[in-house]
Amino acid sequence: KEIRFPASSGVAGWVASNKMMLNIKNAYHDARFNADIDKKTGFRTRTILCHPVLSSTNQLLGVIQMVNKKKGDEGRCKELCDKAKKKKSDKSNKGYTSAFEQFSV
């Protein structure tokens, strides 16, 4: 079943409206978090990392949101960030960064 809500509400709405990143350590302690989605789905959101996706002219294209960070990912995160920085400096990528990694559900 599809769940819809206004684009200006919740964490993603705040990020889209303000074009600023949010790193929330406890979703239920943040007033911007919409707990109704957890209630409807039975999911339990703990942490949220949400970032705006902007064009080269600072126009909002969308928002990317990741939830429930796994413990111990700090080293892997640094590795991916370093990989993206190297690729960005490579002229063949025309300024775009990419740090894809395989995952499974």
Side-chain angles (χ1 to χ4, degrees):
K1 184 177 175 185
E2 188 175 278
I3 298 173
R4 293 186 162 263
F5 52 91
S8 60
S9 73
V11 172
W14 187 94
V15 168
S17 298
N18 292 280
K19 296 182 182 176
M20 293 175 62
M21 180 204 69
L22 282 177
N23 185 2
I24 300 171
K25 306 261 186 229
N26 187 328
Y28 282 85
H29 289 159
D30 193 295
R32 296 165 289 206
F33 175 64
N34 181 0
D36 290 340
I37 304 302
D38 276 10
K39 289 176 188 167
K40 288 179 182 177
T41 63
F43 188 78
R44 176 69 178 180
T45 303
R46 295 183 310 275
T47 62
I48 303 171
L49 178 62
C50 193
H51 202 288
V53 178
L54 304 172
S55 72
S56 59
T57 59
N58 205 38
Q59 180 181 7
L60 182 71
L61 301 175
V63 170
I64 187 165
Q65 181 170 286
M66 292 151 282
V67 297
N68 297 351
K69 177 183 181 257
K70 291 182 181 179
K71 293 185 192 265
D73 285 348
E74 293 81 7
R76 183 69 177 133
C77 182
K78 182 177 179 345
E79 179 185 328
L80 289 172
C81 289
D82 290 345
K83 180 180 176 184
K85 285 177 188 173
K86 285 179 188 172
K87 284 194 173 192
K88 189 170 185 176
S89 64
D90 181 355
K91 298 213 185 289
S92 67
N93 288 304
K94 299 184 174 117
Y96 292 94
T97 61
S98 174
F100 295 103
E101 108 177 64
Q102 295 291 330
F103 68 94
S104 60
V105 178

